[in-house]
Amino acid sequence: MGNKKLDIAPLNEWGMFTDPRPSVLAGPCSAESEEQVMETAKGLKELGINVFRAGIWKPRTHPGCFEGIGVEGLGWLRKVKNEYGLKVATEVASEKHVYECLKHGVDLVWIGARTTANPFLVQEIADALRGSDIPVLVKNPVNPDLELWIGALERLSGAGIRKLGVIHRGFSTFDKIRYRNDPHWDIAIELRSRYPELPFFVDPSHMGGSTEYIQEISQRSLDLGFEGLMIESHCNPEIALSDSKQQLTPDQLKDLLHNKINVRESDSDSREWKENIDQLRAKIDVIDESILYALGSRLKISRQIGEYKKNNNVAIVQASRWDSLLAKVVERGRENGLSQKFLTDVFNAIHEASVEVQNDIISGKSSEL
């Protein structure tokens, strides 16, 4: 089933993100007190932030943790709007949250990773937002499921939401990695390729889980051409009631945005750039054609092997041969500057396609190469 077309309003029509780039939402993980909210907002206003974010309701794994201040905090967000002229944003996870936000004049809402993974809740939120003009950002689901992410966008678009965008915060993983969440940049890139008009934010605070990684993740997202960042900022992170290790002070955020990251342009008017990039892309096109021909040739041979296996009653997969072949590929690939992960991903995909072709032959099905 193909994905539905989304009717998306460009980011410059949202009325809240202006130059200089990147577009930034910033503020504390949680609204903890009126004093904390106002002090943080004041610092962010001074460095030129236009959109202030703060968690009002916090989905926590275990009960008894700080689960957000609740509706009372929406009054503090309204005070931020009135005193500092900032747009305000928070996370919603239910119909009730939406109605409270609309009633208190919240300017933007986002759907968190745990909620995105639940189509029932997303539909409930979409129905509650129907008829409103409020922008909505959708975080990726906790698991690396691109279709689930797109499905949430389709539900909101179906409710008439045009000011629609996404936040990439990475995916939960059991693997030991540097970051709190696995970036899986390939999934983000695939979403961008399918919906190039979709405003795209990255959340380096949740992806990294530590202020140590915010700069490198922010730069990576800008290098990939994504428009914005959602960064957690707290006037005193050391005493924060949630996620204290991943929140920058407003001064630290100012240093990051003004001195430590570089915004890439989507294109250049330079004649030299255009001539050179066209030549290089033409070379890639030729190489891609060769790759496609080689893959087709390989699968044709896999089909012949499948016929031999069928005629000789031999099982499709010989694990020991494949392990040996993959080890040789990795060794040779390193000589060409190719990483083990890249080669393993590519050749496992090729192997799976070959197994599928041979399985179709042995089972008597027709297969498409």
Side-chain angles (χ1 to χ4, degrees):
M1 177 180 177
N3 297 125
K4 298 177 181 177
K5 181 175 175 57
L6 304 178
D7 181 16
I8 302 295
L11 198 60
N12 60 11
E13 294 181 7
W14 291 21
M16 56 183 62
F17 296 106
T18 59
D19 289 336
R21 294 185 298 122
S23 299
V24 177
L25 302 92
C29 174
S30 302
E32 301 164 357
S33 68
E34 182 175 337
E35 180 183 10
Q36 170 246 8
V37 166
M38 298 306 293
E39 184 177 346
T40 305
K42 181 176 184 292
L44 295 175
K45 172 68 175 179
E46 291 173 351
L47 69 89
I49 298 296
N50 292 320
V51 184
F52 179 81
R53 58 135 290 156
I56 299 297
W57 303 277
K58 300 297 297 180
R60 306 303 294 272
T61 301
H62 299 287
C65 300
F66 177 66
E67 295 183 295
I69 198 69
V71 174
E72 180 184 0
L74 293 175
W76 306 339
L77 295 188
R78 177 178 285 173
K79 188 173 180 180
V80 167
K81 287 184 64 171
N82 293 338
E83 291 199 12
Y84 297 120
L86 299 176
K87 303 293 186 180
V88 294
T90 197
E91 178 179 339
V92 294
S94 70
E95 176 185 70
K96 178 183 176 182
H97 292 170
V98 171
Y99 291 145
E100 290 291 349
C101 286
L102 294 176
K103 184 169 67 176
H104 286 81
V106 171
D107 299 292
L108 177 150
V109 296
W110 74 86
I111 297 176
R114 301 186 189 201
T115 307
T116 303
N118 187 329
F120 293 112
L121 285 177
V122 174
Q123 189 62 57
E124 177 183 304
I125 292 168
D127 291 339
L129 287 165
R130 192 182 300 273
S132 70
D133 190 41
I134 189 171
V136 183
L137 298 176
V138 182
K139 285 196 173 185
N140 59 264
V142 288
N143 53 313
D145 187 335
L146 177 58
E147 294 304 322
L148 194 56
W149 199 358
I150 291 174
L153 295 169
E154 291 173 340
R155 291 177 186 277
L156 290 158
S157 180
I161 304 300
R162 295 190 63 247
K163 296 175 181 176
L164 186 61
V166 294
I167 304 170
H168 181 42
R169 46 77 83 186
F171 301 91
S172 298
T173 178
F174 290 109
D175 296 333
K176 290 185 178 180
I177 61 174
R178 290 192 304 154
Y179 301 152
R180 174 178 176 179
N181 293 314
D182 190 335
H184 268 296
W185 292 111
D186 56 317
I187 294 179
I189 292 168
E190 175 63 20
L191 181 60
R192 167 45 64 90
S193 69
R194 293 198 202 181
Y195 299 102
E197 75 281 10
L198 192 65
F200 214 115
F201 290 78
V202 172
D203 179 349
S205 303
H206 277 92
M207 189 179 289
S210 168
T211 56
E212 177 184 359
Y213 304 121
I214 289 179
Q215 179 184 343
E216 64 183 71
I217 295 173
S218 298
Q219 188 61 61
R220 179 68 183 276
S221 66
L222 296 178
D223 291 346
L224 290 171
F226 298 140
E227 289 83 2
L229 301 168
M230 175 184 272
I231 300 179
E232 292 188 345
S233 179
H234 191 296
C235 58
N236 190 356
E238 292 182 0
I239 62 171
L241 299 180
S242 59
D243 289 339
S244 61
K245 294 181 180 180
Q246 66 189 41
Q247 301 189 67
L248 299 172
T249 65
D251 283 343
Q252 289 172 329
L253 180 58
K254 179 180 179 180
D255 185 44
L256 172 76
L257 296 177
H258 293 183
N259 302 317
K260 292 185 176 179
I261 58 174
N262 180 32
V263 180
R264 308 293 182 188
E265 299 297 334
S266 60
D267 204 350
S268 172
D269 294 328
S270 164
R271 182 176 178 179
E272 180 183 2
W273 151 262
K274 291 186 180 297
E275 289 178 351
N276 288 335
I277 198 66
D278 287 345
Q279 291 177 11
L280 292 172
R281 285 171 175 166
K283 291 179 180 179
I284 284 181
D285 289 342
V286 172
I287 294 171
D288 286 346
E289 289 176 7
S290 300
I291 291 172
L292 291 172
Y293 178 79
L295 289 173
S297 299
R298 192 185 194 283
L299 283 179
K300 286 178 182 177
I301 296 173
S302 292
R303 175 185 283 278
Q304 294 173 351
I305 291 173
E307 296 285 357
Y308 281 120
K309 288 178 178 177
K310 179 180 180 180
N311 294 337
N312 291 276
N313 198 32
V314 174
I316 295 173
V317 177
Q318 282 84 45
S320 59
R321 166 173 163 71
W322 175 245
D323 290 343
S324 175
L325 186 152
L326 190 59
K328 290 179 181 177
V329 165
V330 169
E331 182 178 351
R332 292 173 183 171
R334 283 175 177 161
E335 296 173 2
N336 291 287
L338 302 173
S339 73
Q340 179 175 343
K341 181 181 185 306
F342 172 73
L343 292 167
T344 300
D345 288 346
V346 169
F347 276 83
N348 275 331
I350 293 172
H351 184 235
E352 288 172 11
S354 296
V355 169
E356 184 177 347
V357 165
Q358 294 179 22
N359 183 64
D360 286 346
I361 290 170
I362 289 178
S363 63
K365 297 178 182 177
S366 61
S367 62
E368 179 181 348
L369 296 181

